[in-house]
Amino acid sequence: MATELEERDASPQDSGQNTNMTKENIKVPSAQKMDTDFLKLCEELELSEDVKKKALVQLKSLMTGSSSEDGQSSYFDLFTCALYMAMVDTRMPYGPLDPQLQCGYLDGNPCITLTSLLQHTNLNITEFFKRMRVLKESCAVSESVRLHLLSLEKNYLIVSALFHTFEKLCRSVFREDPKTDEDSNEENVYFRENVMPPVPETEGVSFRKKLCWTIFLHTKNHFLVDNQDLNHAVLLLMCCLEFVLRTTPSFLLNPPYDVIRIGCLQTTESRTTNMLLKLAEQVKTSIEEVQVIQQNCTEPFFQELPHIDGDLDLERLMEQYDERHKKEGDINEMLFLRHDSHLIPSDHNKNRASVDQSCVSGSPHMITPVRAAMNTVQQLKIILCNASDQASDKLLNYFKNCAIDPTTSIADRVMELERVFTSNFASSQTTIAEQRFTMAKRLYYRVMESMLNMEHDRLSTNDFSKLLCSDSFHRSLLAASVEIVLMTYGLSCNPSLSEIGREDAQFSFPWVLDVFHLQAFDFFKVLESYIRAEPKLTREIIKHLQWVETQILETIAWKEGSSLFSAIENSDIMMTQPQSPSSSAPNSHNTNTAADMYLSPMHPRSGIQPPTPTKGSSSVNSSASPRAAASPGSQDGASTSRPAPRRSQSLNLFFSKVGRTGFHKLQKLCTMLEVTKEIQQKIWTCFEYCITNKPALMRNRHIDQIMMCSLYGICKVVEKEIKFKTIVHMYRNLAHVDQAVYKSAFIHGSEFDSIIGFYNKVFMQNMKTYILQFSVNRPMAPTLSPVPKQMTSPLTASPVFSIPGRKRFYVSPLKESPFKLPPSPSQLTPRSSLLYSFGEGLGSSEKLKNITESLSAYKRQSTPRSLKRLRFDQVSADDEQCVPETCPKVVKRIAVDVSPHKSPAHSSNESNKMN
């Protein structure tokens, strides 16, 4: 019985560590044919013997059979992937973080560039990335290859998006080159032959475009070497284009750029400002940011570039770029100018005309990555339009009303953290780092003032000494502001930027925690109150903060040295049952505020005296966490002779959210594995017991590892055994999972093993006795834990928020209206005549007049206390029948509820909502 729960047939293949492809079995005509083709390719590429050997080992681990559906091209794709991995491992034998690495490799230049490899194998780079994603999940890939591939893919996405913007700007700024103008109508022929003077090859539009793109690549490689900021790159591109336009003849420019260029009476500085202003309007960005980049970055750098006869030497610039490209061995970005088929997606040219037309016309359906990046920045600037990077007068009054004035300590802390942030941001981008931190300071002071206003309304006090003297509170609040700014500029995970704003960016969370020396558990405490204090946060920001919280709950807070374990040891009791929805609903009196979170433990509800747990264990308590009625930080003892145990409100909320997060994933996984609800509840009980009673098992681990082990163990003892291989396979189908969860689980010390190794060596050693109680032949099974109820939180709730200072008044985004515009007023019924179409040009005043008369008639009714309100949420069958299906306008039905049966008490309790 002691070994019946062990996975005896476990093998690396079961835990996802198989070396064979699971999604596609690539078959080859014969081993001899494969060797012949591979050696022929190596000879064409002139590869060294070392790279050949490494590539052959990689290839044998990828290919196991004959030809696939794609035929010969499929295993040639694998040739490309195997050679790429061999190239990277040869260049970086000790990993990408080796301090001896200068340009991504050790001795000698790379044997071949990735661009040349793609050209020889005739593989498009997007297809190459797709193939590598599959291989990375199913095969053993070195850390060097993994990190290099992530950097390579993100750089490609950014450059391709920038080139799209570059082409769009060029079409707007430059006239079409005569020799490339495909439209040969009589008007254009006459213009070229009689009006437009002959243009030398070195002075035409094509030359200007090539010069601008080459300068931009040099500028990008110089200033963005430490990070890949899409917004910053767009500003650099604008500065490069403006620099080229200074010497471009006006007859090569479209209006109004030609007029700006002609401005003979203007000074050079004025022309530069006007040109930048026009480009900023075209890109829809801030002229101030562009000017800062121009003055502090690009202008001094342009003077250092090679010149000939006072102008930039394009030939020398291209030679320098080619030398750098061959030295690094990655993508040749100059080939974008040629629209090389290996760098441009295969459907690009086919859809190019429609895409260009949609971009020019401003179609809302075409949102490019650059446009999305500009939009997120603009939205944040709108929020901060009236915010200052210094404490406001009202905030200073709060500081002065404290028993201990925190003004000096807050200012000193902000100054110190700014120095730390700037030094860690990027060595060559001090100006950009200062700009980003200034925005974070404005958000920091704005949210702090809003928090104190809410606390003042809640507690009717002006003394917030305990909260404002908390170092972890201020560091967390400022760190959250910095994280939002980094996400907005695409430096951290940004969901609106798709793959460009991925989670593995250089400055992605938890980078800010490491820089500010902040504990993840302390940072977790500020997230909910932060969102409540700033209702204007965009959907992307809230979604990002939700992702940040999930990372903390699942793994970051459980790392060695985390303050979470100290909080567990110092807490007299620990909650295992999640809070009820009523205790965590937004805008309720039980809302967790910043003061409650940072100054807990709070005193328990009167009369509750749970037993004191022994060291290393925790009692199980199913009551909800009480909220202190006194001011923040008060720890009034109970009225009994024995001191009441303290409860950490932040710890209670943390475990509540951990349980919900784990149960949400467990529910999905059990559904995919076809596990019954009864067994699922037993698995949940085991998982909850492990988290709350044996938190040491979570140290340096992921909650998903505990979830999968609980699932396997319970299913085994209830005689519904599911192999770990099947569990891992289904787990990989969940969203946003990391293969390290099942491939590399912490054992002890520096030892790591697969999820099965963790189950046998660690999990069962601690949980075997408890799990065996669920056996079918055991008469007494543990009491099943109730499943968590849905908790309403600012991080997960709908984007409905209250207006400060207006009680029972809520605003939510407008949803799609169920009402449609009728084709003509004659089709309106008496009931549907109360419909009003907002934005309609004809008849609007008549409809408003009818609505006013209807409301006035109801006011004169004999029931003075009847309820009158606007109804936006109901539609009758008659209304639906009279409204056509195709209506582009938003229509709202205004109805008046005059039910005489509702009491005044009932009426007074209802609140108006505008959807």
Side-chain angles (χ1 to χ4, degrees):
M1 201 67 176
T3 60
E4 66 173 316
L5 299 180
E6 297 181 358
E7 175 71 347
R8 295 185 178 181
D9 59 345
S11 62
Q13 284 79 8
D14 292 348
S15 59
Q17 292 181 318
N18 57 309
T19 57
N20 299 330
M21 294 188 63
T22 57
K23 295 187 178 181
E24 299 182 35
N25 290 323
I26 303 301
K27 297 184 179 180
V28 220
S30 66
Q32 184 178 3
K33 172 68 173 173
M34 178 191 73
D35 292 340
T36 302
D37 291 340
F38 181 73
L39 292 176
K40 181 179 178 181
L41 178 62
C42 291
E43 290 177 1
E44 293 177 358
L45 297 173
E46 299 180 355
L47 299 178
S48 64
E49 289 298 324
D50 186 26
V51 176
K52 285 183 184 178
K53 291 179 181 179
K54 286 181 179 293
L56 192 57
V57 172
Q58 292 285 0
L59 187 62
K60 289 181 178 179
S61 68
L62 303 181
M63 304 182 64
T64 59
S66 321
S67 188
S68 69
E69 297 177 355
D70 296 333
Q72 190 177 13
S73 62
S74 292
Y75 73 87
F76 263 99
D77 293 353
L78 289 185
F79 284 177
T80 308
C81 297
L83 287 170
Y84 164 74
M85 290 189 285
M87 288 163 46
V88 174
D89 287 333
T90 303
R91 290 158 52 187
M92 297 180 284
Y94 303 107
L97 302 180
D98 186 355
Q100 296 185 13
L101 292 176
Q102 298 298 322
C103 297
Y105 58 89
L106 285 179
D107 298 328
N109 291 336
C111 51
I112 187 175
T113 65
L114 177 61
T115 302
S116 299
L117 179 60
L118 296 175
Q119 290 173 341
H120 276 82
T121 56
N122 196 26
L123 180 63
N124 184 272
I125 192 169
T126 56
E127 296 298 323
F128 166 74
F129 286 140
K130 291 178 183 178
R131 177 69 71 183
M132 284 302 301
R133 289 193 197 104
V134 176
L135 297 178
K136 188 175 65 172
E137 290 295 325
S138 58
C139 306
V141 176
S142 68
E143 188 70 6
S144 298
V145 172
R146 190 186 70 83
L147 294 180
H148 184 271
L149 182 65
L150 291 174
S151 176
L152 180 71
E153 185 174 5
K154 182 171 183 178
N155 181 67
Y156 168 76
L157 292 169
I158 289 179
V159 175
S160 59
L162 289 170
F163 183 74
H164 175 81
T165 300
F166 172 72
E167 284 193 309
K168 181 181 176 183
L169 282 173
C170 287
R171 286 192 298 271
S172 175
V173 173
F174 294 106
R175 294 182 184 271
E176 287 296 330
D177 233 341
K179 62 180 180 180
T180 60
D181 192 353
E182 299 177 358
D183 188 3
S184 301
N185 56 46
E186 295 181 0
E187 181 181 353
N188 287 334
V189 172
Y190 177 81
F191 176 79
R192 292 197 302 268
E193 295 180 352
N194 299 278
V195 179
M196 191 170 183
V199 181
E201 183 178 354
T202 57
E203 295 294 334
V205 172
S206 299
F207 176 82
R208 302 289 173 177
K209 291 180 180 179
K210 184 184 297 185
L211 177 61
C212 181
W213 184 249
T214 307
I215 296 174
F216 168 69
L217 293 181
H218 280 277
T219 308
K220 177 181 71 70
N221 291 334
H222 179 78
F223 290 104
L224 300 184
V225 64
D226 295 327
N227 67 76
Q228 297 164 325
D229 182 348
L230 181 58
N231 184 274
H232 189 186
V234 173
L235 302 183
L236 291 176
L237 179 61
M238 294 171 58
C239 293
C240 294
L241 181 57
E242 187 278 328
F243 182 80
V244 171
L245 292 178
R246 295 179 193 177
T247 57
T248 302
S250 59
F251 60 82
L252 294 179
L253 303 179
N254 287 322
Y257 300 98
D258 56 348
V259 177
I260 299 176
R261 181 70 183 88
I262 292 175
C264 300
L265 300 178
Q266 301 176 358
T267 63
T268 303
E269 182 179 355
S270 178
R271 285 200 303 270
T272 299
T273 303
N274 291 339
M275 192 67 76
L276 271 182
L277 180 61
K278 191 61 185 177
L279 291 174
E281 292 177 358
Q282 178 78 15
V283 182
K284 297 180 181 179
T285 188
S286 170
I287 181 62
E288 291 80 11
E289 286 194 357
V290 185
Q291 288 177 327
V292 170
I293 295 293
Q294 184 188 57
Q295 296 169 7
N296 296 277
C297 300
T298 59
E299 283 299 320
F301 178 72
F302 291 156
Q303 303 305 319
E304 299 174 1
L305 295 177
H307 287 68
I308 181 171
D309 297 333
D311 296 326
L312 288 176
D313 188 350
L314 176 59
E315 184 176 353
R316 180 58 185 151
L317 287 172
M318 295 181 66
E319 290 177 358
Q320 290 181 349
Y321 177 82
D322 190 58
E323 292 173 1
R324 180 187 181 96
H325 162 64
K326 291 180 178 178
K327 192 176 182 180
E328 295 182 347
D330 294 332
I331 301 174
N332 187 350
E333 298 160 330
M334 288 296 299
L335 295 181
F336 279 100
L337 284 174
R338 304 180 191 172
H339 293 91
D340 190 279
S341 60
H342 301 94
L343 295 184
I344 305 296
S346 57
D347 59 344
H348 173 80
N349 293 328
K350 180 176 65 176
N351 299 328
R352 187 177 174 187
S354 60
V355 169
D356 293 344
Q357 182 62 32
S358 63
C359 291
V360 172
S361 61
S363 172
H365 303 290
M366 183 60 192
I367 301 297
T368 64
V370 173
R371 180 73 268 133
M374 297 293 105
N375 288 343
T376 55
V377 173
Q378 189 64 26
Q379 289 168 350
L380 180 61
K381 289 181 178 180
I382 292 175
I383 296 176
L384 300 177
C385 61
N386 296 322
S388 171
D389 59 351
Q390 300 291 332
S392 65
D393 294 338
K394 187 172 184 179
L395 201 53
L396 291 174
N397 288 332
Y398 280 128
F399 296 165
K400 293 177 182 179
N401 290 329
C402 295
I404 303 176
D405 191 343
T407 305
T408 304
S409 62
I410 290 176
D412 292 344
R413 184 186 296 105
V414 170
M415 187 180 302
E416 172 63 19
L417 293 179
E418 181 176 11
R419 183 191 64 79
V420 172
F421 173 82
T422 304
S423 61
N424 284 272
F425 185 79
S427 57
S428 61
Q429 300 183 46
T430 303
T431 304
I432 303 301
E434 292 173 351
Q435 278 187 333
R436 304 292 184 263
F437 195 84
T438 298
M439 294 187 71
K441 282 196 297 184
R442 295 165 64 187
L443 192 57
Y444 163 73
Y445 285 118
R446 173 184 169 91
V447 174
M448 187 197 304
E449 180 177 343
S450 178
M451 283 183 176
L452 296 183
N453 289 338
M454 295 170 65
E455 290 295 292
H456 172 74
D457 295 339
R458 183 174 71 98
L459 303 172
S460 299
T461 181
N462 291 325
D463 187 357
F464 303 106
S465 301
K466 293 184 179 180
L467 179 63
L468 294 178
C469 290
S470 172
D471 180 72
S472 62
F473 165 71
H474 288 287
R475 286 179 180 268
S476 300
L477 189 61
L478 186 54
S481 303
V482 169
E483 179 64 25
I484 288 175
V485 172
L486 292 178
M487 185 279 299
T488 301
Y489 280 90
L491 296 174
S492 185
C493 170
N494 189 335
S496 67
L497 299 184
S498 183
E499 289 293 320
I500 295 180
R502 59 198 311 159
E503 293 112 356
D504 46 30
Q506 179 183 0
F507 298 101
S508 282
F509 188 82
W511 179 84
V512 67
L513 300 188
D514 299 332
V515 171
F516 285 2
H517 302 290
L518 183 63
Q519 291 284 346
F521 180 62
D522 293 331
F523 182 77
F524 157 81
K525 301 174 185 178
V526 82
L527 293 178
E528 279 202 11
S529 53
Y530 194 104
I531 295 177
R532 289 193 180 97
E534 183 48 80
K536 291 185 179 180
L537 292 178
T538 64
R539 178 186 177 188
E540 287 78 12
I541 293 177
I542 295 177
K543 186 177 181 180
H544 175 71
L545 294 180
Q546 182 181 4
W547 173 81
V548 165
E549 184 186 66
T550 302
Q551 301 304 304
I552 295 175
L553 297 173
E554 291 183 343
T555 180
I556 299 178
W558 300 100
K559 290 184 178 180
E560 184 73 33
S562 172
S563 60
L564 171 64
F565 296 104
S566 301
I568 293 174
E569 293 176 359
N570 296 331
S571 180
D572 292 336
I573 60 174
M574 184 165 56
M575 280 301 304
T576 61
Q577 282 304 113
Q579 296 174 338
S580 63
S582 62
S583 66
S584 58
N587 306 312
S588 69
H589 66 283
N590 283 330
T591 296
N592 294 301
T593 66
D596 294 336
M597 298 296 288
Y598 281 94
L599 302 179
S600 63
M602 310 295 289
H603 71 284
R605 185 179 290 117
S606 176
I608 297 181
Q609 296 183 8
T612 303
T614 59
K615 186 174 182 60
S617 63
S618 301
S619 60
V620 179
N621 193 324
S622 60
S623 61
S625 175
R627 181 176 172 277
S631 61
S634 64
Q635 300 178 11
D636 300 334
S639 58
T640 60
S641 59
R642 177 171 173 260
R646 298 179 302 169
R647 171 180 298 141
S648 171
Q649 190 157 336
S650 58
L651 193 62
N652 175 66
L653 181 63
F654 178 85
F655 274 90
S656 176
K657 290 193 172 185
V658 167
R660 285 184 171 86
T661 302
F663 179 78
H664 180 68
K665 280 191 175 181
L666 176 63
Q667 202 173 28
K668 289 186 175 181
L669 190 58
C670 288
T671 301
M672 291 189 291
L673 293 169
E674 298 181 352
V675 177
T676 64
K677 292 292 184 181
E678 180 183 358
I679 299 178
Q680 179 179 324
Q681 191 169 6
K682 293 180 180 180
I683 299 170
W684 157 247
T685 302
C686 177
F687 172 78
E688 184 200 44
Y689 174 86
C690 182
I691 294 293
T692 56
N693 289 273
K694 294 184 178 294
L697 273 178
M698 283 298 306
R699 196 182 302 270
N700 291 330
R701 298 187 179 100
H702 197 289
I703 66 170
D704 290 357
Q705 295 168 342
I706 304 300
M707 175 191 69
M708 287 189 284
C709 289
S710 301
L711 192 154
Y712 176 81
I714 293 297
C715 288
K716 195 171 185 70
V717 298
V718 299
E719 299 181 355
K720 182 182 172 51
E721 184 175 356
I722 303 176
K723 288 188 175 296
F724 243 123
K725 178 180 180 180
T726 306
I727 295 175
V728 170
H729 178 71
M730 291 299 181
Y731 173 78
R732 289 167 55 183
N733 294 328
L734 295 177
H736 308 296
V737 297
D738 186 0
Q739 61 178 343
V741 172
Y742 53 84
K743 284 189 175 182
S744 180
F746 175 73
I747 305 300
H748 59 78
S750 59
E751 181 183 356
F752 288 81
D753 203 342
S754 67
I755 184 66
I756 296 176
F758 167 70
Y759 176 86
N760 290 328
K761 297 177 183 178
V762 179
F763 185 81
M764 283 310 301
Q765 303 301 320
N766 290 270
M767 295 291 294
K768 180 167 58 178
T769 303
Y770 182 79
I771 291 179
L772 288 176
Q773 297 180 36
F774 291 91
S775 301
V776 293
N777 55 354
R778 292 293 182 93
M780 296 292 294
T783 303
L784 299 181
S785 301
V787 298
K789 297 180 180 179
Q790 185 65 32
M791 180 179 67
T792 306
S793 165
L795 294 171
T796 57
S798 63
V800 178
F801 59 89
S802 60
I803 301 299
R806 300 288 301 275
K807 295 183 178 180
R808 296 188 299 276
F809 189 87
Y810 306 91
V811 176
S812 65
L814 179 65
K815 299 179 180 179
E816 184 180 357
S817 173
F819 302 103
K820 310 297 179 183
L821 180 67
S824 65
S826 61
Q827 296 184 5
L828 291 173
T829 65
R831 181 173 178 82
S832 62
S833 61
L834 292 177
L835 292 173
Y836 174 69
S837 176
F838 292 92
E840 186 178 26
L842 299 176
S844 298
S845 58
E846 273 306 311
K847 291 187 177 182
L848 287 174
K849 183 179 179 180
N850 293 336
I851 292 173
T852 303
E853 292 176 353
S854 299
L855 293 175
S856 301
Y858 284 120
K859 288 182 180 180
R860 294 191 294 269
Q861 287 184 354
S862 58
T863 310
R865 307 184 78 177
S866 62
L867 178 63
K868 307 176 183 65
R869 59 173 178 162
L870 302 179
R871 301 295 296 273
F872 296 96
D873 55 343
Q874 295 181 7
V875 57
S876 67
D878 295 336
D879 292 329
E880 291 182 336
Q881 292 175 0
C882 73
V883 178
E885 289 297 323
T886 56
C887 172
K889 298 188 177 182
V890 179
V891 182
K892 290 291 183 180
R893 179 174 63 86
I894 301 181
V896 183
D897 187 354
V898 292
S899 174
H901 304 289
K902 293 185 178 181
S903 63
H906 177 79
S907 301
S908 62
N909 289 333
E910 296 203 15
S911 59
N912 295 334
K913 294 186 178 180
M914 180 172 59
N915 294 319

